[in-house]
Amino acid sequence: MQNYHASVNVPKYTHLKETLTHVIQLQQHTNMQLFTASNRHDEAIANLQAETAKRTVILKKLPFIVPLRELDSNLDFLMKRAGLSMDYIQSKCNYHCDDELGTVLFLTLTTETALNYLLKNLKARPFWWNSRDGDPIRLSYEKYTSNEDRLMVQPYYAALDVLTQDEDSLFPDQKLYLDPPKLQIFPPKDSNNNTLLVHVAYSFDKAALT
């Protein structure tokens, strides 16, 4: 019986173990390939969105309904005022948000340089939108940022709201000194106290990198 077990069963169990080990290794290799491909896909999308964000501005407080002719007429005037032509517009897409923001227009230009000219012009002079249904509307604007960048600054602006928005806040309804590039918040400029209030920082998760 011992000889039979050693000559017949042990080789079969050994072969089964080797086969299962090989299958598991193949599955692990496949999972790693899928994980790498997924990461590359996500990274490609993030890079594309970040590249598009560099060429996009958001125009806010447009009328509720914007006919195409009115849209093109106002954009043509805005682009010419900045020394550009309509050919620099890659895409435009508008959404109605709420009564406060009105309709917002996502305007993407063909180059980052063209957008910088447009932003410089908007900063120098306000732009009034000529509406067919009423008086001209003064637009506000902001440079578009990618979803990843927006998520990264959420803790920063949440901290700002906690410091200023509630009645029990340390600085209710006061204008604090902000340093967004460094994600830092300081007391108001006219305050005698210049101590750093908030500094949002990020660190790598070593476990996620292995």
Side-chain angles (χ1 to χ4, degrees), residues 45-132:
I45 292 177
N47 290 339
L48 179 61
Q49 186 184 52
E51 195 278 330
T52 303
K54 294 178 181 179
R55 299 181 284 108
T56 302
V57 63
I58 305 175
L59 302 178
K60 299 181 289 188
K61 298 185 178 180
L62 276 72
F64 177 69
I65 298 177
V66 184
L68 181 59
R69 180 176 296 181
E70 177 183 320
L71 180 67
D72 288 340
S73 175
N74 279 276
L75 288 180
D76 181 62
F77 179 77
L78 174 62
M79 296 295 286
K80 287 181 178 177
R81 200 184 75 166
L84 304 168
S85 69
M86 293 286 283
D87 294 334
Y88 281 99
I89 297 179
Q90 176 177 308
S91 64
K92 50 185 183 291
C93 185
N94 57 292
Y95 302 92
H96 180 72
C97 294
D98 51 38
D99 294 336
E100 182 179 354
L101 288 176
T103 297
V104 297
L105 174 66
F106 289 79
L107 186 65
T108 302
L109 304 189
T110 55
T111 68
E112 187 177 353
T113 301
L115 180 65
N116 290 335
Y117 275 114
L118 182 61
L119 292 174
K120 184 178 180 180
N121 186 270
L122 287 170
K123 185 177 181 180
R125 288 189 295 167
F127 181 71
W128 296 82
W129 187 273
N130 291 312
S131 173
R132 66 173 186 175

Side-chain angles (χ1 to χ4, degrees), residues 104-186:
V104 297
L105 174 66
F106 289 79
L107 186 65
T108 302
L109 304 189
T110 55
T111 68
E112 187 177 353
T113 301
L115 180 65
N116 290 335
Y117 275 114
L118 182 61
L119 292 174
K120 184 178 180 180
N121 186 270
L122 287 170
K123 185 177 181 180
R125 288 189 295 167
F127 181 71
W128 296 82
W129 187 273
N130 291 312
S131 173
R132 66 173 186 175
D133 298 326
D135 296 330
I137 303 171
R138 180 171 177 170
L139 299 188
S140 60
Y141 71 95
E142 67 174 89
K143 195 176 184 304
Y144 180 69
T145 55
S146 65
N147 290 339
E148 183 178 356
D149 290 339
R150 286 182 182 273
L151 289 174
M152 288 186 66
V153 298
Q154 286 306 306
Y156 176 73
Y157 287 105
L160 178 62
D161 288 344
V162 170
L163 289 170
T164 59
Q165 296 301 316
D166 296 331
E167 294 181 357
D168 297 332
S169 299
L170 292 175
F171 303 91
D173 298 324
Q174 296 187 48
K175 189 174 182 181
L176 302 181
Y177 178 72
L178 306 180
D179 190 351
K182 296 180 181 179
L183 297 180
Q184 294 179 343
I185 302 176
F186 295 86

